[in-house]
């Protein structure tokens, strides 16, 4: 069994060409898949920050709290 | 309201652009100087071997001229965008496409024509056979306006953007490939004593198409890029 | 004819509706892509017999050829939605065109790298200047040009419209480049897969190839859904429906 697995890995002597090809294929698509997920997190975080600032400003307008409370 | 008919308006625009270019004569000399420098560097890099230089001369001159044009392309509409005269042009009652055609013509006359004039000098620096010289000039006469027209569309697209430069080169490369192939193909055929009329005819056909379509595309691109 | 189709399409092109729709499609598409991808990989790497001429090296085509198809297919999708975006000024079409570009560039890159690795052994050189390779390289430059132009504008919608125009210019340009390079030089082996005629490769090798093709298509749909959703959030940042999503994600 292990012999056949080794021969599978060896790819008839072309392992150096076959496996890098598949690795590039999978890695590039993985990067393509993950990029929008990170971007989405960043966009929503920035948006929440903007919303928090806005609501703080609106509260300030009512006279309840002129400045957002210090952290 | 009556306004100037198209022909005098085009003539006036051409005269204005040429006058502006003439007042900045130094800028006209820059691409020429660049092409001269690049051509003199080739023999130093490749060695003074006559046969080798002869073989690459045509292609080297062609690529040098195209790169020199790319250098100047960026500035095609820049000053007009900065001082707002391009927006004036877009608001003028005359159709935009022929007016832009005139601007492209003026740009070609001030940047490409000097390059074509010194091309024989560059070619003989690299020992291009004299018999091939007419083909080189013909190929340049057809290829440079093609590059100007195609480049103008891309310059118009980048008109509203923050930076261009390198981006323009990246965008122009795919459009350049066929032009270079056919121009260099004609030169190679002429150098081997083969008939060279077919690639020249292709270039001519492409130029005829581009003369009609590129100003229209340029106008559309400008409206997109400056639409705010 | 059914009148609900244009109505449905019109509704779908509104950002919040499409956001929800893409959210439903995405898991199914990625599941389909993963399942078919695993089956195709098993067929390609294990079941398919070694080629009698090329040995195991030919197994690269199981990813090389589907990627090449995808690079062209995605460019076509990008071109069509760029055209729709310019003519009808539909925001969703702009987003689809611009978010297709990175996926297309990824597949083009894969095609070039795997092709080079295959060619290194087949032709003894990793790069030759033949029509198909050169067209693929030009395609990569076109994708990069579209992405670069899109990001060089302050105003995203303006950038999307300019880049859409460039994408349409590119559609005209690719066949011209292909034809001119073919005129210039031809070295490549002929096309081996013809969907509409008799195929020259064995069934054992054909089915993993076609399965992988469907898997990459499904992957494209899934990735596009995710990217369009993200971009819609960025574009519509001030709208109520996006704020609700942002607030809901915080409480989680």
């Amino acid at each position: 069994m292990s012999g056949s697995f080794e021969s599978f890995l060896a790819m008839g002597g072309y392992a150096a060409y076959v496996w890098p090809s598949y690795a590039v294929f999978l890695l590039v698509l993985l990067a393509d898949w993950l990029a929008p997920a990170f971007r989405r997190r960043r966009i929503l975080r920035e948006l929440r920050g903007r919303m928090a600032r806005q609501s703080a400003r609106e509260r300030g307008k009512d006279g309840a709290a002129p400045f957002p409370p210090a952290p | 309201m009556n306004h100037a008919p198209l022909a005098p308006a085009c003539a006036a625009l051409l005269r204005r652009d040429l006058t502006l270019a003439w007042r900045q004569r130094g800028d006209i000399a820059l691409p020429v100087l660049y092409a001269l420098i690049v051509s003199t560097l080739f023999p130093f890099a490749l060695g003074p071997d006559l046969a080798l230089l002869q073989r690459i001369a045509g292609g080297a001159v062609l690529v040098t001229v195209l790169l020199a044009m790319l250098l100047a392309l960026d500035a095609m509409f820049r000053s007009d965008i900065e001082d707002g005269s391009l927006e004036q042009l877009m608001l003028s009652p005359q159709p935009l496409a022929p007016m832009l055609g005139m601007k492209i013509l003026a740009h070609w006359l001030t940047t490409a024509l000097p390059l074509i004039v010194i091309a024989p000098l560059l070619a003989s620096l690299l020992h291009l056979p004299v018999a091939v010289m007419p083909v080189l000039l013909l190929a340049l006469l057809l290829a440079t306006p093609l590059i100007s027209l195609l480049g103008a569309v891309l310059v118009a697209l980048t008109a509203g953007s923050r930076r261009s430069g390198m981006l323009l080169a990246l965008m122009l490369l795919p459009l350049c490939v066929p032009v270079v192939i056919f121009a260099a193909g004609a030169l190679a055929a002429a150098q081997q004593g083969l008939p060279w009329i077919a690639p020249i005819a292709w270039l001519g056909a492409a130029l005829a198409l581009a003369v009609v379509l590129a100003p229209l595309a340029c106008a559309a691109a400008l409206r997109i890029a400056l639409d705010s | 004819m059914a009148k609900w189709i244009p109505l449905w399409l019109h509704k779908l092109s509104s950002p919040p509706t499409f956001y929800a729709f893409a959210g439903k499609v995405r898991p199914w598409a990625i599941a389909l892509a993963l399942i078919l991808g695993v089956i195709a990989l098993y067929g390609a790497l294990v079941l398919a017999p070694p080629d009698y001429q090329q040995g195991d090296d030919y197994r690269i085509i199981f990813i090389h050829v589907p990627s090449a198809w995808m690079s062209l297919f995605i460019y076509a999708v990008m071109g069509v939605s760029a055209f729709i975006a310019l003519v009808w000024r539909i925001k969703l079409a702009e987003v689809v065109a611009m978010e297709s570009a990175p996926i297309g560039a990824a597949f083009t890159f894969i095609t070039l790298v795997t092709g080079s690795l295959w060619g290194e052994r087949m032709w003894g050189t990793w790069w030759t200047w033949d029509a198909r390779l050169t067209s693929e390289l030009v395609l990569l430059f076109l994708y990069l040009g579209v992405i670069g132009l899109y990001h060089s504008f302050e105003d995203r919608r303006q950038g999307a419209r300019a880049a859409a125009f460039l994408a349409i210019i590119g559609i005209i340009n690719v066949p011209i480049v292909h034809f001119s390079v073919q005129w210039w030089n031809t070295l490549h082996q002929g096309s081996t897969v013809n969907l509409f005629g008799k195929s020259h490769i064995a069934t054992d090798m054909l089915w993993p190839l076609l399965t992988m093709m469907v898997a990459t298509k499904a992957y494209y749909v899934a990735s596009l859904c995710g990217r369009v959703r993200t971009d819609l959030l960025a574009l519509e940042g001030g709208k109520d429906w996006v704020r609700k999503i942002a607030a809901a994600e915080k409480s989680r």
Side-chain angles (χ1 to χ4, degrees):
Chain A
M1 185 62 211
S2 76
S4 84
F5 187 67
E6 265 162 31
S7 76
F8 171 69
L9 280 186
M11 272 293 148
Y14 299 122
Y17 300 104
V18 175
W19 294 119
S21 300
Y22 279 82
V24 164
F25 178 70
L26 294 175
L27 285 180
V28 170
L29 291 189
L30 188 70
D32 171 71
W33 184 255
L34 291 180
F38 286 122
R39 189 166 158 236
R40 183 192 160 87
R41 276 232 312 261
R42 203 187 63 231
I43 288 169
L44 288 179
R45 197 172 55 231
E46 280 167 8
L47 184 62
R48 275 195 297 272
R50 218 170 345 140
M51 280 157 64
R53 280 196 298 280
Q54 199 177 8
S55 64
R57 222 176 15 245
E58 267 159 24
R59 261 185 284 125
K61 221 183 289 171
D62 297 339
F67 296 104
Chain B
M1 195 179 81
N2 59 345
H3 42 71
L6 188 57
C10 284
L13 186 65
L14 187 62
R15 203 162 48 237
R16 167 190 177 269
D17 273 17
L18 290 179
T19 314
L20 278 179
W22 181 246
R23 290 196 186 140
Q24 304 262 317
R25 290 184 281 281
D27 287 358
I28 301 181
L30 271 182
V32 173
L33 207 60
Y34 171 83
L36 196 62
I37 291 167
V38 172
S39 305
T40 48
L41 283 178
F42 269 108
F44 292 124
L46 298 168
D49 176 22
L50 191 67
L52 176 68
L53 286 180
Q54 262 181 347
R55 248 195 63 210
I56 61 146
V61 171
L62 205 67
V63 171
T64 306
V65 167
L66 290 188
L67 287 180
M69 284 190 68
L70 184 63
L71 200 66
L73 205 58
D74 202 21
M76 189 182 271
F77 299 136
R78 194 194 294 137
S79 66
D80 290 322
I81 291 171
E82 278 167 3
D83 67 10
S85 50
L86 200 63
E87 273 166 355
Q88 293 275 331
L89 200 63
M90 286 168 72
L91 293 172
S92 71
Q94 284 82 22
L96 184 56
M99 307 297 272
L100 287 176
M102 282 302 122
K103 286 196 80 66
I104 299 168
L105 176 64
H107 189 262
W108 182 79
L109 286 174
T110 52
T111 59
L113 207 56
L115 285 170
I116 295 177
V117 169
I118 65 148
L121 172 70
L122 303 181
S124 45
L125 274 176
L126 298 173
H127 304 293
L128 186 80
V130 180
V132 187
M133 216 63 95
V135 185
L136 174 71
L137 287 180
L138 195 58
L140 282 177
L141 271 175
L142 293 171
T144 50
L146 205 50
I147 297 292
S148 280
L149 286 161
L150 296 173
V153 180
L154 302 181
V155 174
L157 273 181
T158 57
S161 73
R162 278 170 292 164
R163 51 175 196 271
S164 38
M166 199 53 222
L167 181 63
L168 197 61
L170 178 68
M171 284 157 54
L172 191 64
L173 179 98
L175 295 173
C176 264
V177 169
V179 180
V180 171
I181 284 177
F182 283 115
L187 281 174
Q191 248 173 323
Q192 291 163 13
L194 298 169
W196 43 265
I197 201 75
I200 289 288
W202 276 112
L203 275 183
L207 180 58
L209 259 180
V211 162
V212 178
L213 293 180
L216 291 170
C218 191
L222 213 52
R223 286 199 196 285
I224 289 172
L226 292 182
D227 169 46
S228 44
Chain C
M1 269 299 284
K3 265 193 179 158
W4 58 270
I5 295 178
L7 193 67
W8 180 74
L9 277 177
H10 183 72
K11 254 193 181 162
L12 193 62
S13 73
S14 102
T17 319
F18 190 84
Y19 182 87
F21 173 77
K24 280 197 203 95
V25 169
R26 201 167 98 109
W28 292 99
I30 192 65
L32 185 69
L34 285 177
I35 293 167
L36 287 179
V38 168
I39 294 173
L41 282 183
Y42 186 69
L45 291 170
V46 183
L47 294 183
D51 189 75
Y52 72 101
Q53 272 179 328
Q54 305 183 17
D56 282 317
D57 197 31
Y58 88 99
R59 292 183 200 277
I60 293 175
I61 69 164
F62 294 116
I63 48 175
H64 173 72
V65 174
S67 300
W69 282 337
M70 285 314 287
S71 66
L72 291 173
F73 175 79
I74 294 175
Y75 202 95
V77 172
M78 186 171 84
V80 169
S81 47
F83 184 77
I84 294 172
L86 285 183
V87 174
W88 287 288
R89 291 184 167 243
I90 297 174
K91 192 191 266 181
L92 183 65
E94 288 168 16
V95 175
V96 167
M98 289 308 111
E99 293 302 315
S100 287
I103 314 175
F107 275 113
T108 313
F109 178 75
I110 292 171
T111 309
L112 284 169
V113 171
T114 54
S116 300
L117 281 165
W118 191 20
E120 173 71 39
R121 242 267 309 147
M122 285 302 301
W123 312 316
T125 169
W126 65 276
W127 186 260
T128 67
W129 290 100
D130 91 322
R132 282 200 266 171
L133 278 167
T134 313
S135 310
E136 199 68 23
L137 185 64
V138 164
L139 197 66
L140 182 65
F141 284 134
L142 280 171
Y143 274 125
L144 294 181
V146 168
I147 297 170
L149 188 62
Y150 175 47
H151 288 290
S152 75
F153 277 78
E154 296 278 357
D155 182 307
R156 299 178 63 93
R157 286 204 69 182
Q158 212 177 331
R161 291 167 57 73
F165 196 85
L166 183 65
I168 291 171
I169 296 175
I171 276 210
I172 305 163
N173 190 43
V174 168
I176 297 176
V177 169
H178 191 89
F179 160 74
S180 56
V181 180
Q182 213 154 36
W183 176 84
W184 180 58
N185 181 9
T186 305
L187 275 170
H188 212 299
Q189 58 178 336
S191 176
T192 46
V193 178
N194 188 349
L195 276 179
F196 303 108
K198 200 167 142 259
S199 179
H200 299 294
I201 68 173
T203 331
D204 288 358
M205 304 180 185
L206 188 61
W207 76 258
L209 196 57
L210 294 179
T211 313
M212 187 56 101
M213 191 188 83
V214 179
T216 48
K217 287 261 192 315
Y219 173 81
Y220 167 57
V221 171
S223 177
L224 184 67
C225 281
R227 284 174 175 276
V228 168
R229 270 161 68 92
T230 308
D231 211 44
L232 284 178
L233 289 183
L235 271 175
E236 306 252 293
K239 303 263 171 75
D240 262 350
W241 67 273
V242 179
R243 290 174 171 238
K244 264 181 207 146
I245 292 166
E249 207 134 300
K250 186 191 187 181
S251 60
R252 231 193 286 153

